[in-house]
Amino acid sequence: MKRTIERVFQGAPDHWVGDGFHVSNYFPAATDFEKRMSPFFLLDYQRPEKYEPTTLKRGVGTHPHRGFETVTIAYQGSVAHHDSAGNGGVINPGEVQWMTAGGGILHNEYHEEKFAKAGGILHMIQIWVNLPKKDKLAAPKYQALTDASIKEAKLAGGKGVVRVISGAYEETEGPASTFTPAHMLDLRLKPGAKARLPTPKDYNTALLVLQGKVSANGSPAVSEGEFVLFKNDGDEVVVDALSEAIVMFLSGAPIEEPLVHYGPFVMNSVDEINQAVEDYNNGKFGYLKD
Ligand code: MN
């Protein structure tokens, strides 16, 4: 049965993360439904925007995270990343970086040097995925998901593809390993494409239109920048492309645990937040120079 739509909305007015990411927040700050999107905790969207050439480092300097994972998906432009676990790399268009902060990590995120020097369009999303209590302090981990490692399922009539980042779509499985079930699908659609996306009824499920126009479960047109939250009342979402379109589809098993958020930390209690601040101040997240 098709899910009904709970809400369609635009993100909050754009704000700067450092000086390199001009993003619109969709949740949790813009709305009061962090529980409605669990296990996904946050979504910041950098709509396509031209950055002028610069020789400066543009982005966000070294900062900590604990208790969750950050997933960075590049559509246009390139982002360089380094962390205190010794990992680093460049996220190019079509690629995804899935970083498990777990018990604590420091990292920085900058426009990749050549991209910054040349200037150009940056188009990307960052999603935070919460960790269950038992894995909050897991060892930090880094998954660089290359374009080639993200398998594509072809839609009927050659009208586009479903790129599976995590979880599965039909027989196609995503390369990302996750701590709880979380389907993250990158839909690249041609006009007239139809994608039938099964979703267990209890999974929190939504989509964000990044380009073009689609109809979701028979809705009126939903356009670029609009976010569609579905009720947990059915087991299918059908996306019909009304133009060439790019859509991010999220569906995951909710983590039914208390949640306390403070800046870059997402934990289960105030005590654990205080501990995170203390550990950070005492240098227990390691060392990383900008
Ligand atoms: Mn970060």
Side-chain angles (χ1 to χ4, degrees):
M1 201 182 94
K2 284 184 190 173
R3 289 174 177 240
T4 50
I5 291 175
E6 182 165 317
R7 212 172 144 190
V8 179
F9 61 94
Q10 291 274 355
D14 293 347
H15 72 277
W16 284 96
V17 177
D19 63 359
F21 307 102
H22 192 206
V23 302
S24 171
N25 178 263
Y26 283 74
F27 61 86
T31 58
D32 188 26
F33 65 56
E34 60 199 37
K35 287 194 178 65
R36 283 297 289 117
M37 280 309 294
S38 174
F40 310 102
F41 176 75
L42 173 146
L43 191 156
D44 275 347
Y45 176 45
Q46 161 77 68
R47 67 189 78 249
E49 181 168 338
K50 178 144 195 265
Y51 286 79
E52 296 303 323
T54 182
T55 52
L56 300 174
K57 275 179 104 172
R58 193 156 47 193
V60 54
T62 299
H63 59 278
H65 290 299
R66 173 182 278 182
F68 62 100
E69 302 180 285
T70 65
V71 182
T72 307
I73 304 152
Y75 293 87
Q76 291 182 79
S78 298
V79 177
H81 153 271
H82 293 93
D83 70 41
S84 54
N87 296 305
V90 176
I91 313 159
N92 289 307
E95 297 180 339
V96 177
Q97 179 222 82
W98 196 297
M99 184 185 80
T100 306
I105 203 164
L106 302 176
H107 80 155
N108 53 52
E109 300 154 274
Y110 285 105
H111 293 205
E112 186 273 331
E113 197 178 342
K114 278 195 230 95
F115 171 64
K117 279 186 179 152
I121 306 279
L122 184 65
H123 185 200
M124 55 174 285
I125 304 183
Q126 188 168 89
I127 294 167
W128 293 8
V129 181
N130 197 13
L131 288 171
K133 188 174 177 59
K134 68 177 179 53
D135 297 313
K136 283 263 178 225
L137 301 181
K141 189 168 79 174
Y142 174 84
Q143 302 175 70
L145 311 177
T146 59
D147 196 11
S149 76
I150 299 170
K151 300 279 182 299
E152 294 183 351
K154 289 189 173 38
L155 293 170
K159 292 200 167 172
V161 295
V162 176
R163 301 177 74 236
V164 184
I165 296 169
S166 72
Y169 167 71
E170 295 183 335
E171 307 302 308
T172 306
E173 291 190 6
S177 77
T178 65
F179 287 81
T180 59
H183 301 278
M184 204 176 273
L185 308 178
D186 173 14
L187 279 56
R188 307 291 179 114
L189 308 173
K190 294 180 181 161
K194 183 184 283 292
R196 293 183 176 279
L197 310 170
T199 69
K201 203 168 173 178
D202 61 320
Y203 280 25
N204 291 327
T205 299
L207 63 81
L208 174 64
V209 181
L210 305 179
Q211 186 190 306
K213 285 187 191 336
V214 302
S215 166
N217 284 350
S219 73
V222 185
S223 307
E224 190 171 318
E226 288 189 301
F227 187 93
V228 181
L229 174 68
F230 296 94
K231 289 187 181 167
N232 293 22
D233 63 354
D235 56 10
E236 188 179 57
V237 169
V238 178
V239 177
D240 287 293
L242 307 177
S243 69
E244 189 164 312
I246 301 177
V247 172
M248 171 55 58
F249 178 81
L250 302 171
S251 183
I255 298 172
E256 311 272 9
E257 292 171 351
L259 188 154
V260 182
H261 170 222
Y262 176 72
F265 309 127
V266 180
M267 304 301 293
N268 300 112
S269 70
V270 172
D271 281 354
E272 288 168 359
I273 291 289
N274 291 338
Q275 188 67 51
V277 173
E278 192 181 317
D279 289 350
Y280 171 60
N281 287 336
N282 289 330
K284 292 194 177 161
F285 281 54
Y287 173 76
L288 180 68
K289 81 171 176 54
D290 251 346

